[in-house]
Every structure is written in C-alpha cells, then in structure tokens.
Amino acid sequence: MMSKDAKMTVTDKERELLEGWTEVDGDLDGCSPDVAQVVLGSRLASGRVDAPRSRHWQVPEGVDCLNDIAYVDDGLRAHKLDLYLPHDALLRYGKVTPVYIDIHGGGFMYGYKELNRNFCTHLAQRGFAVFSVNYRLIPSTDFMGQLGDVLTALTWIKNHLDEYPVSPDRIFLTGDSAGGTLALYALAVESDDQFAQMLGLKPAGLRPRGAAFVSGLFDLAPYVSVDTEDRQPSSSPTDDLAMVAPSFFRSFVHAGGDQAADLTTMVDMAHLPPVFLNTSADDFLQGDALKLAEILCRKGRDFELHDPRPNRLQTLGHVYPVAMTWLEESRQTLDQIRDFSYDLI
C-alpha cells in the first residue's frame, strides 16, 4: 500500500502529464496547510485516475480546435476558453450550427478545460459548436467567484458569437460533476432574472434552450452548513469538498444562496428550460441526479433521465461519458444528448 507521504509526492514526469489538464500545486502558496493538503490530495487522486485514460483521449476527425482564447485579458490560464467546431460548419460558414458551452468538473479544485477536450470534441463531432470554459479553482477563489468566472465567459461568448459560424439563438449548457453545479446555477441565472438578482449576478443574456448535466453535484444544502470540526481529509471528493465548504460557500450563503441551495426551492424559484440528466447505477453522485429528476417530475418540468446499470463484470462510474468516450455506453449518451438538443431546436 502506498504511504501517505508517497501519495502526496509528485514526480517531474507525473507533474508534466497532469499539468496538461490541471493545476497541481502552483497556486497553493500562501493558503493554510490544511487547505493545501486537501486540494493537492484531491488533485493527485483525480489525476491518477485520469492519467491512464488520457492515453485514449483524442480529437476525432472533422473537428477544428481554436484553443486558449482569453475571455478576460489578464493572462491567467483560468480565464481562457476553447472552441471546437465541426469542420463542415467552418467551411460552410453559416449561422445555424447549435452551440454547447461546457463547464468541466473536478470538485471545484481540480481540472482545466483540457480535461474535457475529449468529451467536447466528440460532442462537436455530432454537429455542435462547443465552447469549453476555464474558471479559477479552489483556493484561488470561492463558489461565487467561480460562478462569476463562468458568467463572464458566457458574456464574452454572447458578445463574440457573430465572429464564428454558429447560431446565436440555439444555445445549450453542459457540465459534469462540480461543473454540473456551476452549469445548473448559470442556467438558472440565464433563465430567470429574479433568481439572478437574488444572488446579485448579471446574466449574459444567452437564454439557453436547454442543458445536459453529467453526474452533476446538485444538492448543495449539505455543504452550505457543513461543520468541519473533527473531520479529516479522505479520498472521497465530497468529503474533500466538505473540508473547505465553510469558506468556499460563505459569500454564496451571504448572497442568499442558502435558499437556492435547496433543490426544491431552486426549481420553484428559477424557470429552468428542459434538462438532460445522465448518471449511472455506480456513480457516487447518482442520488443527486435522481433527486433533481424527482423534483422536476413533481413540478411538471421538462427533463430526460438516463441512468444505465452496468453488468456485474463492468463499471461505468462517475462522469463516464466525459472521461471514457470510447465506451459504447458513452457513445450512446452523446447520441442521446444530440437527440435531446435537436428536439428543442
């Protein structure tokens, strides 16, 4: 068994690989040792799961990549986005290609847009222009700062859509895991002005037609009031979040987010467009997707739920369509997202 010290040690080779899609420890100077330990531990644990998968990530033929476009001109990697376009759309240069805006996951403390490049390019292969958005990670900012980054990126996209061969009014959001959280709240802000005003946020004005959430963390109620006394860091992403939750969600609570954190209240408050929910029977956040689906069903809202069960000799797990696009189940999910979205156009 690997010792605790070994688990927290990063070799030069590992660092070079992981920095392709996440910050490792360059932003941890100046934060408390406890927070640094939680964040670094979370990043290394997640990165060591993604490292062998990364060898299978590839950009499919027929997709063009426009990388590292700054949506804030401050030189930060966290304030850049990518655009993935079907090559045919680029050649035809019309204004009809529907748009997805993707927000990557990572427990709010791991990952950059490159973590989702494989997912986004395979979504683009199915006839979408896909913007992939970076945002600042814990400990550089808190939840409201991350949501603000996402809304700033959406505003940049709104103001620059006419520069690309995309439709200005066929917009969808997507996000996985913690990115699903940010996508859900961005969707609520974009869809309901009163919800945006409650949190003191300014919508970009995109008015998305729908959203697709993969293994989203939706129920924030356990985190906005979590007590970290006597808790120890663990390998569970939700336990890692609980360790930093009081400071991470403090400004969100002060803005009234303690009301919005309750899923039933949020669905009542925000007039959400149709949503696609993906999880799996062995996803540790399956309960969040099922809870949101139950509330949407009870409230008469439009949604689709896809919750496959792997057979006894296989696993799907968390964010499988994002991390493992080569699986048949992942290809089916991407096709289902395409069909769901095109039905709303």
Side-chain angles (χ1 to χ4, degrees):
M1 179 178 294
M2 186 183 296
S3 69
K4 182 178 179 181
D5 288 342
K7 287 182 179 179
M8 300 293 281
T9 300
V10 190
T11 66
D12 290 342
K13 183 176 181 180
E14 184 176 40
R15 181 185 299 278
E16 182 180 5
L17 178 64
L18 296 185
E19 286 181 347
W21 66 79
T22 187
E23 185 63 69
V24 178
D25 55 8
D27 58 348
L28 300 184
D29 291 342
C31 69
S32 73
D34 288 344
V35 170
Q37 181 181 11
V38 170
V39 173
L40 180 58
S42 177
R43 289 173 180 173
L44 294 182
S46 298
R48 287 162 179 164
V49 171
D50 285 325
R53 295 172 173 177
S54 70
R55 292 192 283 269
H56 300 276
W57 296 343
Q58 58 181 326
V59 176
E61 291 186 11
V63 175
D64 293 323
C65 305
L66 286 68
N67 299 325
D68 293 329
I69 303 168
Y71 67 84
V72 178
D73 190 17
D74 59 6
L76 291 180
R77 182 179 180 181
H79 287 153
K80 294 181 179 180
L81 55 80
D82 293 340
L83 171 59
Y84 307 110
L85 281 166
H87 187 62
D88 185 64
L90 195 63
L91 292 175
R92 293 174 185 267
Y93 219 86
K95 296 293 181 180
V96 296
T97 304
V99 174
Y100 255 102
I101 302 169
D102 178 65
I103 306 165
H104 70 82
F108 305 105
M109 58 188 82
Y110 164 75
Y112 281 127
K113 56 185 171 57
E114 290 80 7
L115 181 64
N116 279 27
R117 176 172 291 168
N118 187 53
F119 169 73
C120 291
T121 54
H122 281 78
L123 191 57
Q125 187 185 38
R126 285 161 171 80
F128 300 96
V130 184
F131 288 93
S132 183
V133 173
N134 269 349
Y135 53 88
R136 288 170 294 163
L137 304 171
I138 297 172
S140 297
T141 192
D142 60 9
F143 181 72
M144 289 297 283
Q146 292 185 352
L147 189 54
D149 283 353
V150 169
L151 292 171
T152 300
L154 297 189
T155 301
W156 186 95
I157 292 168
K158 166 73 173 177
N159 293 335
H160 291 81
L161 282 173
D162 62 354
E163 300 173 14
Y164 302 102
V166 302
S167 173
D169 58 0
R170 298 185 177 105
I171 310 295
F172 299 86
L173 300 185
T174 183
D176 62 286
S177 198
T181 318
L182 293 166
L184 174 63
Y185 278 84
L187 181 69
V189 168
E190 289 297 302
S191 302
D192 194 290
D193 291 337
Q194 288 186 335
F195 186 87
Q197 290 169 8
M198 183 197 73
L199 292 179
L201 297 170
K202 184 179 179 181
L206 286 172
R207 296 297 183 187
R209 296 199 179 197
F213 302 129
V214 177
S215 297
L217 172 66
F218 303 125
D219 187 7
L220 295 184
Y223 301 99
V224 298
S225 59
V226 70
D227 182 1
T228 60
E229 185 177 358
D230 297 328
R231 292 183 64 98
Q232 297 296 321
S234 83
S235 59
S236 166
T238 53
D239 285 344
D240 289 339
L241 177 59
M243 290 295 298
V244 299
S247 59
F248 182 64
F249 288 111
R250 185 175 295 123
S251 63
F252 175 64
V253 172
H254 289 167
D258 52 338
Q259 300 178 55
D262 178 80
L263 268 180
T264 300
T265 303
M266 183 193 188
V267 172
D268 280 335
M269 294 172 64
H271 294 82
L272 300 176
V275 298
F276 175 101
L277 300 171
N278 170 258
T279 183
S280 68
D282 57 348
D283 178 6
F284 70 86
L285 286 180
Q286 182 194 36
D288 280 55
L290 298 182
K291 182 173 183 178
L292 180 55
E294 187 275 330
I295 294 169
L296 292 170
C297 181
R298 180 157 40 87
K299 300 293 182 178
R301 305 297 176 84
D302 191 353
F303 74 98
E304 289 186 25
L305 171 66
H306 294 267
D307 182 20
R309 179 183 181 88
N311 69 43
R312 289 175 294 177
L313 299 179
Q314 291 180 320
T315 185
L316 291 174
H318 191 53
V319 301
Y320 69 88
V322 175
M324 298 179 287
T325 54
W326 57 88
L327 297 180
E328 176 60 30
E329 294 90 344
S330 298
R331 291 193 291 268
Q332 291 173 358
T333 298
L334 285 159
D335 289 344
Q336 289 161 349
I337 292 174
R338 176 200 60 204
D339 295 345
F340 161 83
S341 308
Y342 271 78
D343 282 347
L344 297 174
I345 293 174

